[in-house]
Amino acid sequence: MRLSKKSKPMKKITRRKTKIVKIGDVKIGGENPIAVQSMTKTDTRNVKKTVSQIKKLAEIGCEIIRVAVPDMEAAKSLGEIKRQIQIPLVADIHFSSDLALEAIRQGVDKIRINPGNIGNEERIKAVVLAAKKRGIPIRIGVNSGSLEKDLLLKYNNIVTSQAMVESALRNIKILEKYGSADIVVSLKASDIERTINAYRLLSEKVDYPLHLGITEAGTFFRGTIMSAIGLGILLEKGIGDTIRISLSAPPSEEVRVGWEILKSLKIRKRGVTITSCPTCGRTEINLLELTEKIEKATQRISKDLHLAVMGCVVNGPGEAKEADLAIVGGKKVGLILKKGEIIRKAPEKKLFQEFMKELKKLAN
Amino acid sequence: MRLSKKSKPMKKITRRKTKIVKIGDVKIGGENPIAVQSMTKTDTRNVKKTVSQIKKLAEIGCEIIRVAVPDMEAAKSLGEIKRQIQIPLVADIHFSSDLALEAIRQGVDKIRINPGNIGNEERIKAVVLAAKKRGIPIRIGVNSGSLEKDLLLKYNNIVTSQAMVESALRNIKILEKYGSADIVVSLKASDIERTINAYRLLSEKVDYPLHLGITEAGTFFRGTIMSAIGLGILLEKGIGDTIRISLSAPPSEEVRVGWEILKSLKIRKRGVTITSCPTCGRTEINLLELTEKIEKATQRISKDLHLAVMGCVVNGPGEAKEADLAIVGGKKVGLILKKGEIIRKAPEKKLFQEFMKELKKLAN
């Protein structure tokens, strides 16, 4: 991408040094790419529906998938799900160490346990030993909505960042005690402050890879904004080795938002990036519609290309210079520019078509 | 809001100390609320359409409005627009100091000039003196897409954060030289790195209030994520006194996103906030639909209320405790909780209706 090559950032993101953990064939931590993950919203016992959802998510960039395991029937479906998919499978376990043990037997690539509800140390021990035997990692998934009761008491029923970190550290100790080193940790609160403070605190204390997320972040609209801010702040500080966006929306949106966050921060690349102007009283083409059309038409292009769709000559030529392909609008007409050089002029009606023609040449 | 009272953030946002600037009757800088602004997308010469758009934006929380002034006819429309609206009017000027002078004569509350294209010092001087006489502030709006030609040369045609800051500082000096102290500055680049680096750099050098934005951020989807991350990082550092979200989307979306960013960081409050879970294989009610319905139905409630819509007992009770009103889903049924206490149980079909009934009591 020309822009990133040309305009060197003043302050590069330096990633925190973490241990490397293998989840199936995906490595997280260290210098491995920050992985995008999601969670299915189907009934896990319905293998067909669950597999179908996972396959669709994998296609759009989901690199690790987690499924809820609410009962033994769900646990027993995991092996079959695993056999039918290509990306690593993570079992999400609450309340029962028996479900965790069954999930491990079924061959999942990682399990997530919630320290607040999985039971006493004996139960955790059994899970740790079984996971160790299979060589699969465990995520300690602390969540502000379900902290251990004794910690709630200690902190006067107020779930602070410190309380969340204490929960994580306590459980890390238990896992370490039984010889586990393949640990991932998350500290999700339903607000930005607690979440970022908890991750900051923990990242100073341990070097296990961190799974980032804002829990219960809300609808597509609110959840996207909450997650972009919270994860953006952490990622910019070099904190975070894998991300999951929690949205009350289809899981495909979680994956799209996750990728867009990483792309926005130039941490990873994937497909087309479109710079486009908000339009104003100067704009004389229907730029909003044109941009949406281009966004839709380019979703499946995997090549890293930087496009610009600009309404007028104020910032148009400047942005066009930094883009692989650009439109600069005029009066019911538009210029098409390749790396800043005008290659064509087209009437508004033909602008989309002409632009896409040029884009296809670049995309191949 | 109960949550913010109960769970004290470990690290409060401390705002950078800035001068106070008055834009009409809205003060920005100092300890004044971070104002949400937008820009019209109508033809400014069409007073009726422009006023109608401004009124709609003001209704949903737009506190300052800017309009493009591409020609003299647009400039001469400003007085009439100003008379018909209640929020401060800002004239956006490019290429011509004559348009700036006319806008000032028409009684606008602030003008924005783009140092890259407004002309030589003599022209800027004339504008500064006219603005000073009227007592209106000037925003120096540096934009990565339209930097001064000599700075582009100096920086080898690469628009760095430093080049942008140099442009701002040079123009601040000119304004100060002619006695202006009512200065607002923006340093918008079309990517996050350059934008945050430029604002960070400048905020160490001057104490004028800063207008934040990522320019040409893109469509609703990409622009929202880019802006949430970029502005989120800056706001969390205490940088920023007013914000504008640039989206290739209707301006109402810009205002909604702006507010949601401030709400997410608990910087300002406005209406209902909904914590809701992403759902998973545990969820036995149609929570995604229910949450979207509640989000829509509560958009007009101005009282600051915290709601939670949760799918199951994993984090449901925990989140419900922190919410004014909550739903925790079960098998085709839901509990309604007020400040964590169960007040009702309702079948899924009646859940929305019963929840809204309780909410109306709280909202009044």
Side-chain angles (χ1 to χ4, degrees):
Chain A
M1 206 165 70
R2 237 177 131 212
L3 178 63
S4 52
K5 268 184 236 143
K6 279 185 68 177
S7 65
K8 269 201 181 157
M10 236 185 53
K11 195 190 142 202
K12 256 266 164 225
I13 294 176
T14 314
R15 258 176 92 185
R16 191 178 67 103
K17 283 203 171 66
T18 58
K19 292 196 172 110
I20 293 169
V21 166
K22 257 190 95 182
I23 305 159
D25 51 9
V26 174
K27 285 183 192 160
I28 63 165
E31 286 175 20
N32 291 294
I34 296 170
V36 175
Q37 52 178 290
S38 186
M39 191 168 176
T40 53
K41 305 193 178 191
T42 51
D43 185 333
T44 310
R45 295 166 297 192
N46 189 330
V47 173
K48 200 178 158 193
K49 270 197 179 167
T50 303
V51 166
S52 157
Q53 188 163 78
I54 294 171
K55 286 190 168 173
K56 275 180 203 151
L57 293 175
E59 244 175 60
I60 57 166
C62 181
E63 299 171 306
I64 299 168
I65 190 72
R66 181 158 48 114
V67 297
V69 186
D71 60 21
M72 200 43 88
E73 198 189 333
K76 287 192 188 296
S77 309
L78 296 171
E80 189 50 38
I81 293 171
K82 167 93 186 122
R83 273 185 289 281
Q84 295 186 36
I85 63 172
Q86 314 292 327
I87 57 175
L89 181 66
V90 184
D92 193 74
I93 311 285
H94 295 273
F95 307 122
S96 159
S97 54
D98 288 344
L99 295 179
L101 294 172
E102 181 59 31
I104 294 167
R105 261 193 299 272
Q106 292 282 327
V108 298
D109 300 297
K110 177 173 139 195
I111 60 160
R112 176 263 172 129
I113 57 172
N114 184 320
N117 63 31
I118 201 70
N120 59 22
E121 185 170 332
E122 271 313 298
R123 291 182 178 274
I124 300 180
K125 178 184 168 185
V127 176
V128 175
L129 293 179
K132 225 190 123 191
K133 209 171 152 191
R134 282 273 193 166
I136 65 165
I138 297 177
R139 169 158 67 96
I140 298 169
V142 177
N143 198 302
S144 63
S146 50
L147 210 66
E148 290 102 311
K149 286 202 178 71
D150 66 307
L151 284 176
L152 275 177
L153 269 173
K154 180 177 167 186
Y155 286 89
N156 294 317
N157 240 333
I158 299 171
V159 184
T160 60
S161 314
Q162 291 97 322
M164 293 170 65
V165 170
E166 187 168 336
S167 166
L169 288 174
R170 169 200 285 184
N171 285 278
I172 289 171
K173 260 193 197 152
I174 298 174
L175 265 62
E176 286 173 342
K177 186 168 150 189
Y178 299 109
S180 175
D182 284 344
I183 302 173
V184 180
V185 189
S186 65
L187 297 154
K188 302 184 187 180
S190 54
D191 66 310
I192 294 171
E193 280 164 326
R194 280 188 297 177
T195 304
I196 61 176
N197 288 334
Y199 280 106
R200 275 174 184 160
L201 261 178
L202 189 72
S203 70
E204 290 162 10
K205 293 180 194 286
V206 302
D207 61 357
Y208 291 112
L210 298 177
H211 162 125
L212 302 187
I214 306 277
T215 192
E216 276 88 55
T219 55
F220 173 75
F221 181 71
R222 178 171 182 262
T224 294
I225 290 171
M226 289 272 284
S227 302
I229 298 176
L231 272 52
I233 289 172
L234 289 167
L235 291 168
E236 204 261 339
K237 289 184 189 306
I239 297 173
D241 302 284
T242 176
I243 63 171
R244 188 256 170 138
I245 313 301
S246 295
L247 299 178
S248 303
S252 55
E253 297 296 319
E254 300 188 352
V255 175
R256 278 179 73 214
V257 172
W259 271 102
E260 201 62 39
I261 290 174
L262 296 179
K263 280 172 67 180
S264 287
L265 282 161
K266 293 181 188 165
I267 289 174
R268 291 188 70 180
K269 290 175 178 185
R270 186 185 168 84
V272 160
T273 297
I274 308 172
T275 294
S276 66
C277 89
T279 79
C280 68
R282 287 181 182 279
T283 322
E284 296 177 288
I285 57 169
N286 190 342
L287 187 133
L288 303 189
E289 201 185 286
L290 179 64
T291 312
E292 289 288 343
K293 241 168 121 178
I294 293 173
E295 186 179 61
K296 255 195 196 145
T298 56
Q299 265 175 5
R300 299 264 154 186
I301 295 177
S302 60
K303 194 167 169 187
D304 167 39
L305 289 170
H306 180 199
L307 313 180
V309 187
M310 304 290 297
C312 80
V313 292
V314 172
N315 299 312
E319 290 298 336
K321 250 196 267 178
E322 297 184 333
D324 295 303
L325 199 66
I327 286 173
V328 176
K331 195 164 184 167
K332 302 281 168 209
V333 76
L335 298 173
I336 297 176
L337 299 92
K338 204 166 153 179
K339 310 235 183 220
E341 304 294 328
I342 300 172
I343 55 167
R344 199 171 308 180
K345 188 175 174 173
E348 185 175 7
K349 272 184 193 167
K350 293 200 164 176
L351 208 43
F352 173 73
Q353 192 186 327
E354 296 290 318
F355 184 78
M356 289 306 296
K357 214 187 280 175
E358 287 303 324
L359 184 57
K360 265 169 207 158
K361 291 186 211 164
L362 284 179
N364 288 327
Chain B
M1 209 164 72
R2 237 176 131 213
L3 177 63
S4 53
K5 267 184 234 143
K6 279 183 73 180
S7 64
K8 270 199 183 160
M10 238 184 53
K11 193 190 143 203
K12 257 269 164 223
I13 294 176
T14 315
R15 260 177 89 186
R16 188 178 69 103
K17 283 204 172 67
T18 57
K19 292 197 172 110
I20 294 169
V21 166
K22 260 191 93 184
I23 305 159
D25 52 9
V26 173
K27 284 182 194 162
I28 63 164
E31 287 176 19
N32 292 295
I34 295 170
V36 174
Q37 53 178 288
S38 186
M39 192 164 175
T40 53
K41 304 192 179 190
T42 51
D43 184 334
T44 309
R45 295 165 298 192
N46 189 329
V47 173
K48 200 177 158 191
K49 271 196 179 166
T50 303
V51 165
S52 157
Q53 187 165 76
I54 294 171
K55 286 190 168 172
K56 275 180 201 150
L57 294 175
E59 244 175 58
I60 58 167
C62 179
E63 299 172 305
I64 299 169
I65 190 73
R66 181 159 47 116
V67 296
V69 185
D71 60 20
M72 200 43 87
E73 196 188 333
K76 288 194 186 295
S77 307
L78 296 171
E80 189 52 38
I81 293 171
K82 167 94 186 119
R83 274 185 289 280
Q84 295 186 34
I85 63 172
Q86 313 292 324
I87 57 175
L89 181 66
V90 183
D92 194 74
I93 310 285
H94 294 274
F95 307 119
S96 158
S97 55
D98 288 344
L99 295 178
L101 294 172
E102 181 60 31
I104 294 168
R105 263 193 298 272
Q106 291 282 327
V108 296
D109 299 299
K110 176 174 137 196
I111 60 162
R112 176 262 171 129
I113 55 172
N114 183 321
N117 63 30
I118 201 69
N120 58 22
E121 186 170 332
E122 270 313 298
R123 291 181 178 274
I124 301 181
K125 177 184 168 185
V127 176
V128 175
L129 294 180
K132 225 190 122 192
K133 208 171 153 192
R134 282 271 193 168
I136 65 164
I138 296 177
R139 169 157 69 95
I140 297 169
V142 178
N143 198 302
S144 64
S146 49
L147 210 67
E148 290 102 313
K149 287 200 178 73
D150 65 307
L151 284 176
L152 275 177
L153 269 174
K154 178 176 169 186
Y155 286 88
N156 294 318
N157 241 334
I158 300 171
V159 184
T160 61
S161 314
Q162 291 98 321
M164 292 171 67
V165 170
E166 188 169 337
S167 167
L169 288 174
R170 169 200 285 187
N171 285 277
I172 289 170
K173 259 193 199 153
I174 299 175
L175 265 61
E176 286 173 340
K177 185 168 151 189
Y178 299 109
S180 176
D182 285 344
I183 302 173
V184 181
V185 188
S186 65
L187 296 155
K188 302 184 185 178
S190 54
D191 66 310
I192 293 171
E193 280 164 327
R194 279 188 296 177
T195 303
I196 62 178
N197 288 334
Y199 280 107
R200 276 175 183 159
L201 261 178
L202 189 73
S203 71
E204 290 163 8
K205 294 180 193 284
V206 302
D207 62 355
Y208 292 113
L210 297 178
H211 163 126
L212 301 187
I214 307 277
T215 194
E216 276 87 54
T219 56
F220 174 74
F221 181 70
R222 176 170 184 261
T224 294
I225 290 172
M226 289 271 285
S227 303
I229 298 176
L231 272 52
I233 289 172
L234 288 167
L235 290 167
E236 204 259 339
K237 289 186 189 304
I239 295 174
D241 302 284
T242 178
I243 62 171
R244 189 255 171 138
I245 314 302
S246 294
L247 299 177
S248 303
S252 55
E253 296 298 319
E254 300 188 353
V255 174
R256 278 179 74 213
V257 172
W259 271 102
E260 202 62 38
I261 290 174
L262 296 178
K263 280 172 68 181
S264 288
L265 281 162
K266 295 183 188 164
I267 288 173
R268 293 188 68 180
K269 293 176 175 183
R270 185 182 168 88
V272 159
T273 297
I274 307 173
T275 294
S276 66
C277 88
T279 80
C280 68
R282 290 182 179 279
T283 322
E284 296 178 290
I285 58 169
N286 189 341
L287 187 132
L288 303 190
E289 199 185 288
L290 179 64
T291 312
E292 288 286 344
K293 239 168 120 178
I294 293 173
E295 186 178 59
K296 255 195 199 148
T298 56
Q299 264 177 5
R300 300 264 153 186
I301 295 178
S302 59
K303 197 168 169 184
D304 167 40
L305 289 169
H306 181 197
L307 313 179
V309 186
M310 303 290 297
C312 80
V313 293
V314 172
N315 299 311
E319 290 298 336
K321 248 196 267 177
E322 296 184 333
D324 295 304
L325 199 66
I327 286 174
V328 177
K331 196 168 183 161
K332 303 279 166 211
V333 75
L335 299 173
I336 297 175
L337 299 92
K338 203 166 151 177
K339 309 233 180 220
E341 303 295 328
I342 298 171
I343 55 168
R344 199 170 307 179
K345 187 177 176 173
E348 185 176 7
K349 273 184 196 168
K350 292 200 164 176
L351 207 42
F352 173 73
Q353 189 187 328
E354 295 289 319
F355 184 79
M356 290 306 295
K357 213 188 279 176
E358 288 303 323
L359 183 58
K360 266 168 206 158
K361 289 186 211 164
L362 284 179
N364 289 324

